[in-house]
Amino acid sequence: MRIATWNVNSLKARLEAVERWLERAQPDVLLIQETKLSDDDVPEMAFRMAGYELLHHGEGRWNGVAIASKVGIDSPITNFGDGPVRESRSAKDAPSADDFDPLTEARMVSAICGGIRVVSLYAPNGRELDSPWYVGKLRWFDRLAAWLDEISDPDDALLLGGDLNITPSDDDLWDAAAAHGATHVSEPERAKLATLRDWGLVDTYRLHQSDTYRFSWYDYRAGAFHKNMGMRIDLLYGTRSVADRVLWSEIDREARKGPPTPSDHVPVLIDLDEPGTPIDAGWEGALARVRKRTKTS
């Protein structure tokens, strides 16, 4: 079974790219983030035509998470089971720093797919250290950790995936010194990821990929993608029973190329039990440029 996660940065804008990628990579389960759609507006028919059931949890203009599955969708959970989220139909619905509460936003959806409880997560960005946005981000991770204790056990088959907006270590970003003092790399944020690992989750991507300079997010500006200046913030964390089944992992850099205009994130994939459809993830040229740059610096 192939499971992938992808922050598509607007499912409406990126639908053609998503359809093409589903045909190319053939995942059995795709965890999707930042759909930016309400549940009523989600393009369910497009997924059905491609052979997928779709579970979507959205609020409208921002956020939004989904699960597309060829292997069933059972026992769905949204928003940690804490009830409905707000609507965000227009700019006037955007929260201010004073009333920001990520637990009222569409950032979590879960279901059992192919015998594994998968969870699609879109963590808050945090914006800047010590801001209300950053404090809310840490609180959201506390709710995630508490939810794991409520509904699961480290012996269960469970996989958290999504845009977690944190780099696990300095190996997961292009330049630790340049990123110092910003969100995504701070010790309090990384401690939240460590809490998930201490609970019993494994960074499944790292089981088969130890190379640095492989990233899942690139800024649209300043040629960051071509220069391979990015971060690995899209993660697949599984319990040991899932991790023991993983035989391949990859970040599909090729999916960052257009047309149409791509997301600023790329898919992260793992194969369980047997290999999925082969893909060329497009890393050879990017890593060659990195090696050349590091030799001359």
Side-chain angles (χ1 to χ4, degrees):
M1 180 163 61
R2 172 167 289 176
I3 303 176
T5 183
W6 192 5
N7 178 326
V8 297
N9 190 12
S10 176
L11 184 55
K12 182 178 180 180
R14 249 51 91 180
L15 182 58
E16 180 184 344
V18 171
E19 290 176 304
R20 190 168 62 241
W21 189 81
L22 289 174
E23 183 176 358
R24 172 173 169 259
Q26 293 293 313
D28 297 287
V29 178
L30 174 61
L31 311 179
I32 307 171
Q33 301 84 44
E34 211 172 350
T35 63
K36 299 183 179 179
L37 291 171
S38 68
D39 292 341
D40 291 338
D41 293 332
V42 71
E44 184 176 359
M45 182 58 69
F47 285 88
R48 192 179 303 170
M49 293 290 289
Y52 294 86
E53 294 180 68
L54 186 69
L55 173 65
H56 183 265
H57 176 52
E59 61 183 75
R61 184 166 177 166
W62 294 285
N63 307 312
V65 283
I67 299 169
S69 174
K70 287 184 174 181
V71 291
I73 290 178
D74 298 307
S75 304
I77 300 172
T78 60
N79 195 31
F80 305 114
D82 292 342
V85 297
R86 67 182 176 91
E87 290 188 0
S88 60
R89 296 289 183 172
S90 65
K92 66 180 177 62
D93 297 319
S96 67
D98 292 335
D99 64 4
F100 174 61
D101 182 1
L103 297 174
T104 66
E105 298 179 334
R107 295 182 175 277
M108 177 271 184
V109 66
S110 174
I112 297 174
C113 303
I116 299 173
R117 176 160 289 283
V118 298
V119 190
S120 182
L121 299 169
Y122 177 42
N125 179 282
R127 301 199 184 184
E128 58 184 33
L129 298 185
D130 301 322
S131 69
W133 314 101
Y134 180 82
V135 173
K137 178 178 187 175
L138 300 182
R139 186 161 56 86
W140 184 88
F141 272 95
D142 289 338
R143 181 66 187 106
L144 171 59
W147 178 75
L148 284 176
D149 282 332
E150 292 167 9
I151 64 96
S152 191
D153 181 276
D155 292 330
D156 295 339
L158 179 130
L159 182 74
L160 305 184
D163 176 4
L164 295 188
N165 270 318
I166 303 173
T167 56
S169 75
D170 285 353
D171 288 339
D172 299 301
L173 68 158
W174 83 101
D175 187 331
H180 180 71
T183 59
H184 298 63
V185 304
S186 72
E187 286 308 313
E189 291 170 288
R190 288 179 172 173
K192 298 303 181 185
L193 284 185
T195 296
L196 299 180
R197 296 191 297 269
D198 291 343
W199 182 85
L201 297 178
V202 177
D203 186 346
T204 61
Y205 171 80
R206 280 293 181 214
L207 294 173
H208 296 273
Q209 294 284 1
S210 60
D211 288 349
T212 55
Y213 296 106
R214 289 176 178 254
F215 308 123
S216 65
W217 172 86
Y218 297 91
D219 198 317
Y220 282 121
R221 300 166 295 183
F225 177 64
H226 179 74
K227 298 172 185 175
N228 202 44
M229 297 168 60
M231 296 183 178
R232 187 175 73 97
I233 57 176
D234 300 86
L235 309 174
L236 289 166
Y237 273 22
T239 52
R240 176 51 62 185
S241 64
V242 174
D244 287 345
R245 297 167 58 187
V246 176
L247 49 81
W248 174 85
S249 62
E250 186 58 278
I251 297 174
D252 188 7
R253 191 177 190 277
E254 196 69 19
R256 182 59 166 73
K257 302 175 182 178
T261 303
S263 171
D264 47 354
H265 296 252
V266 298
V268 181
L269 310 85
I270 56 173
D271 282 350
L272 277 58
D273 302 327
E274 59 184 43
T277 301
I279 63 168
D280 178 2
W283 281 105
E284 184 175 347
L287 295 178
R289 288 192 295 274
V290 169
R291 287 192 291 269
K292 182 178 180 180
R293 186 168 67 242
T294 54
K295 284 181 180 179
T296 58
S297 61

